[in-house]
Amino acid sequence: MKTRIDNIDNNIYNIKTTEEYEKTEIGLTKEVIERISKEKEEPKWVLDIRLKALEFYNKLELPNWGPDLSEINLDDITTYIKPKNKMVDKWEDVPEDIKNVFDKLGIPEAEKKSLGGVGAQYDSEMVYHKVQDELKEKGVIYTNFDTAIKEYPELVKEYFTKAVPINDHKFIAMHYALFSGGSFVYVPKGVVLNDPLQSYFRLNSPGAGQFEHTLIIVEEGASLQFIEGCSAPGYNELNLHAGCVELFVKDNAFLRFSTIENWSKNMMNLNTKKAFVGTRGKIEWIMGSFGSKVSMLYPMTILNGDYAKCEFTNISFAGFGQNLDSGLKVIHNGKYNSTAINSKSISKDGGICTFRSNIWVKSNASKSKLNVSCESLMLDSKSKSDTIPVDFIENDDIEYAHEAKIGKISDDTIFYLMSRGISEEEAIKLIVRGFAEPISKAFPIEYAVEMNRLIDLELEGTIG
Amino acid sequence: MKYILNETPIKTTNNFRINNITVDLDIKETDFNDYSFSTTKDLDIKTEIKSDFNSKIGLERDKYLYVDITPKKRIDDLLIINYTFDSKNYLTSHININLDYDLNTIICFRGTGFLNFKLTVTSKENINSNISVVNLTSDQSTGLVSIENSVNTNSNIVTNYIDLRGKLRISNYYSELNSEKASSSFNTIYIGNKDERLDMNYYTKNNNKYTVSNMLFQGALLDNSYKSLKGTIDFIEGSSKSKGEENENCILLSENSKSRSLPMLLCHEEDVMGAHGMSSGKIDSQKLFYLMSKGISEEEAKRLIIKANFKIVLDNVLDENIKAEIEEIIDERIK
């Protein structure tokens, strides 16, 4: 008989600060949008996109599938929060309170050790952005999205909204109406970045929304690893995250896009990510989802050139009160395209994990290969784990294999470990870490350690 | 008139239009004088004209032929039920089988027309039964076939659905494993030719402990045919020690054929084993090469490989004559 102890929520992500803000906006109206745009001193073409998006937002319906989103009431959500200071490129210049939070999350330390550049967003605005001088000299641009609109308008115009259209769905329309902050990365032709860039998104205010926009262009033959981290302290009010990531991986280019998401358990995480990959280009998605109350996240990859590749590695961990609905979409639109999907989920304490995939092999994508593998681990019978994959195959000359498994931790394995003197709780942790290992291996070492720590934290109190 | 039919148990994204099928159908009343219905055994079969037809497919009708089969003792011989109708016919019928004793049955449809058929099977404890529904209607037919079963303790129902021809074919399977150690297997063969359109929605619910569900789908698509297959295994809370597996093998024999699949695994119980596997695409080149190296032509080699896949299901059809009839149609269809 298992007894349940409430989740321990004393981790570093739960640091709360009381900020004073220069400006806040609540709700989504034409006036709010105009004020945000004015505040940011944006050009008219950007305001036009925001207003067009608002029209779509008002017209589009909530999705008729997936988790219940009726709780979201934009009238109650703080849609724009501007901290008092401007964005800086020296940690010393970041205000003390905010700096303390990022210090505790280990961001400056990671920058020193292993990163080529760092961006840090606090609520609606980026507060810090820095890229190594050496990379700047090679023509690498890594800045916040608002700065990119002002300093590289032609580049932004060429790509912005081109991967994810403003009318894709209701929440992306909301995003384009309210977007603020986020990162812009441009890696010129042939430039290979050995150290990853990292953007960290922190949503501090209760009842607030975060709508950052990340746009990454990896030119021909270039290579980039990008890490995205997200966290927020827990509050009773509902927080909302509706970010957008647009990725362009050109011919022969490579992009590894890693995300560790540990939003607080009061967060509605409705993120949209899409990548276009050119001939012989490759994208690797690595995702770890631990936080959020409700998450709907299905990164999309369009393999547009011959021999383009996609690898997708994902782990979701849903605990008490969490409904994590995630997966991916892939379109094969070239010959010899290949996709490998490896998704794992763990649910416990009534948590719901749903894996959804949409795979479309178009009629021109002959000699394509796809391999889909999803595994779910249930730690109790209060939880739920659903696998809902849709495959649309329009070409006869492909190889496609799909397999999914659902299972529990074997009593024999626990018994074996316990007979070796390991406690039941530690045995379960060992088995879950083993289950997650193929995914954690894909993360840089610091993040793999962090992920294992998060798994341990999530399993705290499972056995009594 | 437009109908939205065959809704999936859980909705997913709308982009691939897999949650249901929208069809335009002009359906006339069943003419109860213009079809033939025969059975090979006298089993106290009761027939009557009833109203209020509905099935899991979602198409309701007013009048239909209701057939009730409740064997009073164990039947060793196979029961064969034949329906034959012509192009003027719109046939709506429901066969209800109450399995108090073991019974093996084949239900066959021949002719041309609009078929709207429902089979319900309810088993008592310790029943073993093999039921095949064989749709041999012509390629000009439309077929809506819905099969439901409810399986009791320690019983096993094997259902085979052979779906070979028809311009529009919508089928539904719904199995509830209600008591401990109940098991069901659902095996299907489908072929799509020309512009034929197939929509399949198959669902098994493991409702109790130690239940076992299996689903196997073997298909081949040629020409411009299109199929959408939704297979769901659902483990309800309390279905501990249960197992469920679904496997699909869809061979595309034409560059214009299209295949949509949604193999769902829903799980609300910790101690279960669920799995699904799906493979889609052209015929394994190594198998093809091996057969061709033995002097068999490419066309014949392909046919042999597909027939080998189908044989696993076909072996469950217990009448040799009907099996031969099916094989003849398969040969003709995968030329």
PDB file of all heavy atoms in Angstrom, chain A residues 64-65 356 358 381 385 387 389 391 393-394 396-397 402-404 406 408, chain B residues 12-14 258-259 261-262 265 267 269-271 274-276 278 282:
ATOM      1  N   ASN A  64     -10.762  22.411 -30.122  1.00  0.00           N
ATOM      2  CA  ASN A  64     -11.819  21.511 -29.630  1.00  0.00           C
ATOM      3  C   ASN A  64     -11.243  20.154 -29.229  1.00  0.00           C
ATOM      4  O   ASN A  64     -11.933  19.156 -29.171  1.00  0.00           O
ATOM      5  CB  ASN A  64     -12.930  21.351 -30.668  1.00  0.00           C
ATOM      6  CG  ASN A  64     -12.422  20.748 -31.961  1.00  0.00           C
ATOM      7  OD1 ASN A  64     -11.222  20.498 -32.117  1.00  0.00           O
ATOM      8  ND2 ASN A  64     -13.316  20.502 -32.901  1.00  0.00           N
ATOM      9  N   TRP A  65      -9.949  20.099 -28.996  1.00  0.00           N
ATOM     10  CA  TRP A  65      -9.290  18.866 -28.565  1.00  0.00           C
ATOM     11  C   TRP A  65      -8.248  19.256 -27.520  1.00  0.00           C
ATOM     12  O   TRP A  65      -7.963  20.431 -27.334  1.00  0.00           O
ATOM     13  CB  TRP A  65      -8.605  18.187 -29.764  1.00  0.00           C
ATOM     14  CG  TRP A  65      -7.694  19.105 -30.517  1.00  0.00           C
ATOM     15  CD1 TRP A  65      -8.047  19.970 -31.511  1.00  0.00           C
ATOM     16  CD2 TRP A  65      -6.290  19.325 -30.282  1.00  0.00           C
ATOM     17  NE1 TRP A  65      -6.947  20.688 -31.920  1.00  0.00           N
ATOM     18  CE2 TRP A  65      -5.853  20.301 -31.195  1.00  0.00           C
ATOM     19  CE3 TRP A  65      -5.354  18.747 -29.406  1.00  0.00           C
ATOM     20  CZ2 TRP A  65      -4.533  20.741 -31.246  1.00  0.00           C
ATOM     21  CZ3 TRP A  65      -4.035  19.189 -29.464  1.00  0.00           C
ATOM     22  CH2 TRP A  65      -3.637  20.164 -30.386  1.00  0.00           C
ATOM     23  N   ARG A 356       1.274  13.367 -28.504  1.00  0.00           N
ATOM     24  CA  ARG A 356       0.582  13.489 -29.798  1.00  0.00           C
ATOM     25  C   ARG A 356       1.621  13.708 -30.875  1.00  0.00           C
ATOM     26  O   ARG A 356       2.513  14.536 -30.701  1.00  0.00           O
ATOM     27  CB  ARG A 356      -0.334  14.714 -29.815  1.00  0.00           C
ATOM     28  CG  ARG A 356      -1.663  14.518 -29.171  1.00  0.00           C
ATOM     29  CD  ARG A 356      -2.439  15.820 -29.171  1.00  0.00           C
ATOM     30  NE  ARG A 356      -3.160  15.941 -27.935  1.00  0.00           N
ATOM     31  CZ  ARG A 356      -4.424  15.529 -27.779  1.00  0.00           C
ATOM     32  NH1 ARG A 356      -5.091  15.020 -28.769  1.00  0.00           N
ATOM     33  NH2 ARG A 356      -5.012  15.642 -26.609  1.00  0.00           N
ATOM     34  N   ASN A 358       1.985  14.273 -35.239  1.00  0.00           N
ATOM     35  CA  ASN A 358       1.385  14.401 -36.562  1.00  0.00           C
ATOM     36  C   ASN A 358       2.510  14.228 -37.568  1.00  0.00           C
ATOM     37  O   ASN A 358       3.397  15.078 -37.630  1.00  0.00           O
ATOM     38  CB  ASN A 358       0.805  15.807 -36.763  1.00  0.00           C
ATOM     39  CG  ASN A 358      -0.610  15.920 -36.250  1.00  0.00           C
ATOM     40  OD1 ASN A 358      -1.101  15.026 -35.584  1.00  0.00           O
ATOM     41  ND2 ASN A 358      -1.257  17.020 -36.558  1.00  0.00           N
ATOM     42  N   SER A 381      -2.027   4.253 -10.354  1.00  0.00           N
ATOM     43  CA  SER A 381      -3.224   4.151 -11.200  1.00  0.00           C
ATOM     44  C   SER A 381      -4.123   5.375 -11.131  1.00  0.00           C
ATOM     45  O   SER A 381      -5.192   5.395 -11.730  1.00  0.00           O
ATOM     46  CB  SER A 381      -4.032   2.916 -10.813  1.00  0.00           C
ATOM     47  OG  SER A 381      -3.305   1.793 -11.220  1.00  0.00           O
ATOM     48  N   SER A 385      -1.872   8.110 -18.958  1.00  0.00           N
ATOM     49  CA  SER A 385      -0.869   8.259 -20.000  1.00  0.00           C
ATOM     50  C   SER A 385      -1.480   7.859 -21.334  1.00  0.00           C
ATOM     51  O   SER A 385      -1.872   6.711 -21.506  1.00  0.00           O
ATOM     52  CB  SER A 385       0.316   7.362 -19.671  1.00  0.00           C
ATOM     53  OG  SER A 385       1.289   7.513 -20.661  1.00  0.00           O
ATOM     54  N   THR A 387      -1.304   7.922 -25.673  1.00  0.00           N
ATOM     55  CA  THR A 387      -0.452   8.085 -26.857  1.00  0.00           C
ATOM     56  C   THR A 387      -1.371   8.245 -28.057  1.00  0.00           C
ATOM     57  O   THR A 387      -2.167   7.343 -28.338  1.00  0.00           O
ATOM     58  CB  THR A 387       0.442   6.843 -27.030  1.00  0.00           C
ATOM     59  OG1 THR A 387       1.076   6.580 -25.792  1.00  0.00           O
ATOM     60  CG2 THR A 387       1.482   7.054 -28.090  1.00  0.00           C
ATOM     61  N   PRO A 389      -0.904   9.198 -31.794  1.00  0.00           N
ATOM     62  CA  PRO A 389      -0.120   9.589 -32.972  1.00  0.00           C
ATOM     63  C   PRO A 389      -0.929   9.520 -34.268  1.00  0.00           C
ATOM     64  O   PRO A 389      -1.661   8.572 -34.476  1.00  0.00           O
ATOM     65  CB  PRO A 389       0.994   8.532 -32.996  1.00  0.00           C
ATOM     66  CG  PRO A 389       0.383   7.329 -32.343  1.00  0.00           C
ATOM     67  CD  PRO A 389      -0.815   7.762 -31.547  1.00  0.00           C
ATOM     68  N   ASP A 391      -0.541   9.473 -38.385  1.00  0.00           N
ATOM     69  CA  ASP A 391       0.433   9.317 -39.470  1.00  0.00           C
ATOM     70  C   ASP A 391      -0.293   9.442 -40.801  1.00  0.00           C
ATOM     71  O   ASP A 391      -1.289   8.758 -41.014  1.00  0.00           O
ATOM     72  CB  ASP A 391       1.084   7.932 -39.403  1.00  0.00           C
ATOM     73  CG  ASP A 391       1.640   7.637 -38.018  1.00  0.00           C
ATOM     74  OD1 ASP A 391       2.304   8.518 -37.471  1.00  0.00           O
ATOM     75  OD2 ASP A 391       1.390   6.532 -37.493  1.00  0.00           O
ATOM     76  N   ILE A 393       0.556   9.051 -44.717  1.00  0.00           N
ATOM     77  CA  ILE A 393       1.606   8.600 -45.630  1.00  0.00           C
ATOM     78  C   ILE A 393       1.081   8.705 -47.059  1.00  0.00           C
ATOM     79  O   ILE A 393       0.103   8.052 -47.418  1.00  0.00           O
ATOM     80  CB  ILE A 393       2.017   7.136 -45.336  1.00  0.00           C
ATOM     81  CG1 ILE A 393       2.258   6.919 -43.835  1.00  0.00           C
ATOM     82  CG2 ILE A 393       3.226   6.734 -46.166  1.00  0.00           C
ATOM     83  CD1 ILE A 393       3.417   7.618 -43.241  1.00  0.00           C
ATOM     84  N   GLU A 394       1.767   9.513 -47.881  1.00  0.00           N
ATOM     85  CA  GLU A 394       1.315   9.711 -49.259  1.00  0.00           C
ATOM     86  C   GLU A 394       2.294   9.127 -50.276  1.00  0.00           C
ATOM     87  O   GLU A 394       2.200   9.415 -51.453  1.00  0.00           O
ATOM     88  CB  GLU A 394       1.174  11.212 -49.549  1.00  0.00           C
ATOM     89  CG  GLU A 394      -0.005  11.864 -48.874  1.00  0.00           C
ATOM     90  CD  GLU A 394      -0.225  13.251 -49.414  1.00  0.00           C
ATOM     91  OE1 GLU A 394       0.727  14.063 -49.386  1.00  0.00           O
ATOM     92  OE2 GLU A 394      -1.336  13.533 -49.857  1.00  0.00           O
ATOM     93  N   ASP A 396       4.587   5.626 -51.533  1.00  0.00           N
ATOM     94  CA  ASP A 396       4.723   4.176 -51.333  1.00  0.00           C
ATOM     95  C   ASP A 396       6.170   3.774 -51.105  1.00  0.00           C
ATOM     96  O   ASP A 396       6.444   2.698 -50.604  1.00  0.00           O
ATOM     97  CB  ASP A 396       4.149   3.425 -52.541  1.00  0.00           C
ATOM     98  CG  ASP A 396       4.867   3.776 -53.836  1.00  0.00           C
ATOM     99  OD1 ASP A 396       5.339   4.922 -53.955  1.00  0.00           O
ATOM    100  OD2 ASP A 396       4.957   2.912 -54.717  1.00  0.00           O
ATOM    101  N   ASP A 397       7.106   4.661 -51.426  1.00  0.00           N
ATOM    102  CA  ASP A 397       8.516   4.268 -51.393  1.00  0.00           C
ATOM    103  C   ASP A 397       9.208   4.800 -50.143  1.00  0.00           C
ATOM    104  O   ASP A 397      10.144   5.599 -50.211  1.00  0.00           O
ATOM    105  CB  ASP A 397       9.198   4.799 -52.668  1.00  0.00           C
ATOM    106  CG  ASP A 397      10.585   4.234 -52.830  1.00  0.00           C
ATOM    107  OD1 ASP A 397      10.938   3.312 -52.072  1.00  0.00           O
ATOM    108  OD2 ASP A 397      11.326   4.723 -53.699  1.00  0.00           O
ATOM    109  N   HIS A 402       6.607   2.442 -36.367  1.00  0.00           N
ATOM    110  CA  HIS A 402       6.120   3.187 -35.214  1.00  0.00           C
ATOM    111  C   HIS A 402       5.855   2.190 -34.095  1.00  0.00           C
ATOM    112  O   HIS A 402       5.206   1.181 -34.293  1.00  0.00           O
ATOM    113  CB  HIS A 402       4.809   3.891 -35.600  1.00  0.00           C
ATOM    114  CG  HIS A 402       4.192   4.645 -34.475  1.00  0.00           C
ATOM    115  ND1 HIS A 402       3.850   5.959 -34.566  1.00  0.00           N
ATOM    116  CD2 HIS A 402       3.877   4.273 -33.223  1.00  0.00           C
ATOM    117  CE1 HIS A 402       3.347   6.358 -33.406  1.00  0.00           C
ATOM    118  NE2 HIS A 402       3.356   5.343 -32.577  1.00  0.00           N
ATOM    119  N   GLU A 403       6.371   2.470 -32.917  1.00  0.00           N
ATOM    120  CA  GLU A 403       6.007   1.593 -31.810  1.00  0.00           C
ATOM    121  C   GLU A 403       5.810   2.405 -30.543  1.00  0.00           C
ATOM    122  O   GLU A 403       6.456   3.425 -30.339  1.00  0.00           O
ATOM    123  CB  GLU A 403       7.042   0.494 -31.599  1.00  0.00           C
ATOM    124  CG  GLU A 403       8.434   0.993 -31.335  1.00  0.00           C
ATOM    125  CD  GLU A 403       9.391  -0.130 -30.954  1.00  0.00           C
ATOM    126  OE1 GLU A 403       8.924  -1.204 -30.579  1.00  0.00           O
ATOM    127  OE2 GLU A 403      10.597   0.100 -31.033  1.00  0.00           O
ATOM    128  N   ALA A 404       4.883   1.941 -29.722  1.00  0.00           N
ATOM    129  CA  ALA A 404       4.624   2.614 -28.455  1.00  0.00           C
ATOM    130  C   ALA A 404       4.408   1.566 -27.380  1.00  0.00           C
ATOM    131  O   ALA A 404       3.887   0.486 -27.649  1.00  0.00           O
ATOM    132  CB  ALA A 404       3.387   3.487 -28.566  1.00  0.00           C
ATOM    133  N   ILE A 406       3.399   1.040 -23.062  1.00  0.00           N
ATOM    134  CA  ILE A 406       3.028   1.586 -21.759  1.00  0.00           C
ATOM    135  C   ILE A 406       3.340   0.513 -20.735  1.00  0.00           C
ATOM    136  O   ILE A 406       3.059  -0.663 -20.962  1.00  0.00           O
ATOM    137  CB  ILE A 406       1.532   1.954 -21.718  1.00  0.00           C
ATOM    138  CG1 ILE A 406       1.292   3.206 -22.558  1.00  0.00           C
ATOM    139  CG2 ILE A 406       1.055   2.182 -20.292  1.00  0.00           C
ATOM    140  CD1 ILE A 406      -0.134   3.664 -22.610  1.00  0.00           C
ATOM    141  N   LYS A 408       4.634  -0.459 -16.309  1.00  0.00           N
ATOM    142  CA  LYS A 408       4.870  -0.037 -14.933  1.00  0.00           C
ATOM    143  C   LYS A 408       6.275  -0.482 -14.527  1.00  0.00           C
ATOM    144  O   LYS A 408       6.936  -1.217 -15.256  1.00  0.00           O
ATOM    145  CB  LYS A 408       3.841  -0.649 -14.004  1.00  0.00           C
ATOM    146  CG  LYS A 408       3.913  -2.169 -13.918  1.00  0.00           C
ATOM    147  CD  LYS A 408       3.113  -2.668 -12.759  1.00  0.00           C
ATOM    148  CE  LYS A 408       3.996  -3.292 -11.719  1.00  0.00           C
ATOM    149  NZ  LYS A 408       3.475  -3.646 -10.473  1.00  0.00           N
TER     150      LYS A 408
ATOM    151  N   THR B  12      -8.257  14.609 -31.591  1.00  0.00           N
ATOM    152  CA  THR B  12      -6.923  15.199 -31.663  1.00  0.00           C
ATOM    153  C   THR B  12      -6.936  16.314 -32.699  1.00  0.00           C
ATOM    154  O   THR B  12      -8.017  16.730 -33.137  1.00  0.00           O
ATOM    155  CB  THR B  12      -5.856  14.109 -31.938  1.00  0.00           C
ATOM    156  OG1 THR B  12      -4.569  14.681 -31.747  1.00  0.00           O
ATOM    157  CG2 THR B  12      -5.973  13.507 -33.335  1.00  0.00           C
ATOM    158  N   THR B  13      -5.755  16.819 -33.051  1.00  0.00           N
ATOM    159  CA  THR B  13      -5.694  17.973 -33.946  1.00  0.00           C
ATOM    160  C   THR B  13      -6.543  17.776 -35.197  1.00  0.00           C
ATOM    161  O   THR B  13      -6.658  16.669 -35.710  1.00  0.00           O
ATOM    162  CB  THR B  13      -4.247  18.244 -34.403  1.00  0.00           C
ATOM    163  OG1 THR B  13      -3.679  17.012 -34.797  1.00  0.00           O
ATOM    164  CG2 THR B  13      -3.426  18.836 -33.315  1.00  0.00           C
ATOM    165  N   ASN B  14      -7.079  18.858 -35.688  1.00  0.00           N
ATOM    166  CA  ASN B  14      -8.008  18.754 -36.818  1.00  0.00           C
ATOM    167  C   ASN B  14      -7.314  18.755 -38.182  1.00  0.00           C
ATOM    168  O   ASN B  14      -7.945  18.438 -39.187  1.00  0.00           O
ATOM    169  CB  ASN B  14      -9.003  19.923 -36.773  1.00  0.00           C
ATOM    170  CG  ASN B  14      -9.814  19.902 -35.487  1.00  0.00           C
ATOM    171  OD1 ASN B  14     -10.373  18.880 -35.133  1.00  0.00           O
ATOM    172  ND2 ASN B  14      -9.845  21.006 -34.760  1.00  0.00           N
ATOM    173  N   LYS B 258      -3.010   6.663 -50.467  1.00  0.00           N
ATOM    174  CA  LYS B 258      -2.736   7.452 -49.268  1.00  0.00           C
ATOM    175  C   LYS B 258      -3.201   6.690 -48.032  1.00  0.00           C
ATOM    176  O   LYS B 258      -4.268   6.101 -48.030  1.00  0.00           O
ATOM    177  CB  LYS B 258      -3.462   8.788 -49.323  1.00  0.00           C
ATOM    178  CG  LYS B 258      -2.919   9.735 -50.382  1.00  0.00           C
ATOM    179  CD  LYS B 258      -3.708  11.020 -50.406  1.00  0.00           C
ATOM    180  CE  LYS B 258      -3.101  12.080 -51.310  1.00  0.00           C
ATOM    181  NZ  LYS B 258      -2.844  11.677 -52.676  1.00  0.00           N
ATOM    182  N   SER B 259      -2.396   6.773 -46.997  1.00  0.00           N
ATOM    183  CA  SER B 259      -2.727   6.047 -45.774  1.00  0.00           C
ATOM    184  C   SER B 259      -2.655   6.965 -44.564  1.00  0.00           C
ATOM    185  O   SER B 259      -1.660   7.639 -44.338  1.00  0.00           O
ATOM    186  CB  SER B 259      -1.714   4.904 -45.603  1.00  0.00           C
ATOM    187  OG  SER B 259      -1.721   4.433 -44.282  1.00  0.00           O
ATOM    188  N   SER B 261      -3.210   6.924 -40.346  1.00  0.00           N
ATOM    189  CA  SER B 261      -3.354   6.015 -39.212  1.00  0.00           C
ATOM    190  C   SER B 261      -3.345   6.787 -37.909  1.00  0.00           C
ATOM    191  O   SER B 261      -2.641   7.783 -37.781  1.00  0.00           O
ATOM    192  CB  SER B 261      -2.175   5.035 -39.152  1.00  0.00           C
ATOM    193  OG  SER B 261      -2.089   4.300 -40.323  1.00  0.00           O
ATOM    194  N   LEU B 262      -4.101   6.279 -36.965  1.00  0.00           N
ATOM    195  CA  LEU B 262      -4.089   6.845 -35.620  1.00  0.00           C
ATOM    196  C   LEU B 262      -4.150   5.688 -34.621  1.00  0.00           C
ATOM    197  O   LEU B 262      -5.223   5.257 -34.211  1.00  0.00           O
ATOM    198  CB  LEU B 262      -5.284   7.802 -35.444  1.00  0.00           C
ATOM    199  CG  LEU B 262      -5.595   8.357 -34.057  1.00  0.00           C
ATOM    200  CD1 LEU B 262      -4.384   8.996 -33.416  1.00  0.00           C
ATOM    201  CD2 LEU B 262      -6.714   9.387 -34.126  1.00  0.00           C
ATOM    202  N   LEU B 265      -3.215   4.662 -27.737  1.00  0.00           N
ATOM    203  CA  LEU B 265      -3.050   3.842 -26.540  1.00  0.00           C
ATOM    204  C   LEU B 265      -3.436   4.728 -25.368  1.00  0.00           C
ATOM    205  O   LEU B 265      -2.742   5.703 -25.080  1.00  0.00           O
ATOM    206  CB  LEU B 265      -1.564   3.456 -26.471  1.00  0.00           C
ATOM    207  CG  LEU B 265      -1.106   2.156 -25.859  1.00  0.00           C
ATOM    208  CD1 LEU B 265      -1.912   0.980 -26.344  1.00  0.00           C
ATOM    209  CD2 LEU B 265       0.368   1.947 -26.192  1.00  0.00           C
ATOM    210  N   CYS B 267      -4.269   5.033 -21.316  1.00  0.00           N
ATOM    211  CA  CYS B 267      -3.927   4.233 -20.153  1.00  0.00           C
ATOM    212  C   CYS B 267      -4.238   4.956 -18.854  1.00  0.00           C
ATOM    213  O   CYS B 267      -3.725   6.037 -18.600  1.00  0.00           O
ATOM    214  CB  CYS B 267      -2.445   3.889 -20.234  1.00  0.00           C
ATOM    215  SG  CYS B 267      -1.944   2.732 -18.991  1.00  0.00           S
ATOM    216  N   GLU B 269      -4.207   3.003 -15.885  1.00  0.00           N
ATOM    217  CA  GLU B 269      -3.889   1.958 -14.916  1.00  0.00           C
ATOM    218  C   GLU B 269      -2.393   1.686 -14.983  1.00  0.00           C
ATOM    219  O   GLU B 269      -1.820   1.559 -16.052  1.00  0.00           O
ATOM    220  CB  GLU B 269      -4.721   0.709 -15.262  1.00  0.00           C
ATOM    221  CG  GLU B 269      -4.363  -0.531 -14.486  1.00  0.00           C
ATOM    222  CD  GLU B 269      -4.521  -0.364 -12.981  1.00  0.00           C
ATOM    223  OE1 GLU B 269      -5.566   0.122 -12.532  1.00  0.00           O
ATOM    224  OE2 GLU B 269      -3.560  -0.699 -12.250  1.00  0.00           O
ATOM    225  N   GLU B 270      -1.812   1.589 -13.790  1.00  0.00           N
ATOM    226  CA  GLU B 270      -0.357   1.451 -13.702  1.00  0.00           C
ATOM    227  C   GLU B 270       0.136   0.083 -14.172  1.00  0.00           C
ATOM    228  O   GLU B 270       1.065  -0.032 -14.951  1.00  0.00           O
ATOM    229  CB  GLU B 270       0.025   1.683 -12.232  1.00  0.00           C
ATOM    230  CG  GLU B 270       1.392   1.221 -11.841  1.00  0.00           C
ATOM    231  CD  GLU B 270       1.512   1.083 -10.327  1.00  0.00           C
ATOM    232  OE1 GLU B 270       0.487   0.865  -9.642  1.00  0.00           O
ATOM    233  OE2 GLU B 270       2.621   1.174  -9.838  1.00  0.00           O
ATOM    234  N   ASP B 271      -0.563  -0.970 -13.731  1.00  0.00           N
ATOM    235  CA  ASP B 271      -0.002  -2.306 -13.875  1.00  0.00           C
ATOM    236  C   ASP B 271      -0.537  -3.013 -15.120  1.00  0.00           C
ATOM    237  O   ASP B 271      -1.240  -4.012 -15.037  1.00  0.00           O
ATOM    238  CB  ASP B 271      -0.353  -3.090 -12.598  1.00  0.00           C
ATOM    239  CG  ASP B 271       0.372  -4.412 -12.550  1.00  0.00           C
ATOM    240  OD1 ASP B 271       1.223  -4.650 -13.408  1.00  0.00           O
ATOM    241  OD2 ASP B 271       0.057  -5.211 -11.652  1.00  0.00           O
ATOM    242  N   GLY B 274       0.850  -2.370 -22.490  1.00  0.00           N
ATOM    243  CA  GLY B 274       0.194  -1.965 -23.732  1.00  0.00           C
ATOM    244  C   GLY B 274       1.243  -1.680 -24.782  1.00  0.00           C
ATOM    245  O   GLY B 274       2.309  -1.156 -24.481  1.00  0.00           O
ATOM    246  N   ALA B 275       0.953  -2.030 -26.017  1.00  0.00           N
ATOM    247  CA  ALA B 275       1.914  -1.753 -27.078  1.00  0.00           C
ATOM    248  C   ALA B 275       1.186  -1.582 -28.396  1.00  0.00           C
ATOM    249  O   ALA B 275       0.144  -2.202 -28.622  1.00  0.00           O
ATOM    250  CB  ALA B 275       2.919  -2.887 -27.188  1.00  0.00           C
ATOM    251  N   HIS B 276       1.708  -0.714 -29.249  1.00  0.00           N
ATOM    252  CA  HIS B 276       1.235  -0.718 -30.621  1.00  0.00           C
ATOM    253  C   HIS B 276       2.408  -0.585 -31.571  1.00  0.00           C
ATOM    254  O   HIS B 276       3.423   0.015 -31.266  1.00  0.00           O
ATOM    255  CB  HIS B 276       0.136   0.318 -30.889  1.00  0.00           C
ATOM    256  CG  HIS B 276       0.571   1.734 -30.848  1.00  0.00           C
ATOM    257  ND1 HIS B 276      -0.195   2.721 -30.286  1.00  0.00           N
ATOM    258  CD2 HIS B 276       1.673   2.356 -31.307  1.00  0.00           C
ATOM    259  CE1 HIS B 276       0.428   3.868 -30.401  1.00  0.00           C
ATOM    260  NE2 HIS B 276       1.552   3.681 -31.013  1.00  0.00           N
ATOM    261  N   MET B 278       3.311  -0.082 -35.860  1.00  0.00           N
ATOM    262  CA  MET B 278       2.718   0.228 -37.151  1.00  0.00           C
ATOM    263  C   MET B 278       3.831   0.297 -38.187  1.00  0.00           C
ATOM    264  O   MET B 278       4.875   0.887 -37.934  1.00  0.00           O
ATOM    265  CB  MET B 278       2.008   1.582 -37.049  1.00  0.00           C
ATOM    266  CG  MET B 278       1.272   1.972 -38.287  1.00  0.00           C
ATOM    267  SD  MET B 278       2.019   3.429 -38.982  1.00  0.00           S
ATOM    268  CE  MET B 278       1.026   3.656 -40.425  1.00  0.00           C
ATOM    269  N   LYS B 282       6.389   0.559 -48.763  1.00  0.00           N
ATOM    270  CA  LYS B 282       6.383  -0.431 -49.831  1.00  0.00           C
ATOM    271  C   LYS B 282       6.805  -1.798 -49.289  1.00  0.00           C
ATOM    272  O   LYS B 282       7.203  -1.930 -48.131  1.00  0.00           O
ATOM    273  CB  LYS B 282       7.298   0.021 -50.949  1.00  0.00           C
ATOM    274  CG  LYS B 282       8.749   0.115 -50.551  1.00  0.00           C
ATOM    275  CD  LYS B 282       9.567   0.454 -51.759  1.00  0.00           C
ATOM    276  CE  LYS B 282      11.044   0.488 -51.387  1.00  0.00           C
ATOM    277  NZ  LYS B 282      11.896   0.673 -52.523  1.00  0.00           N
TER     278      LYS B 282
END
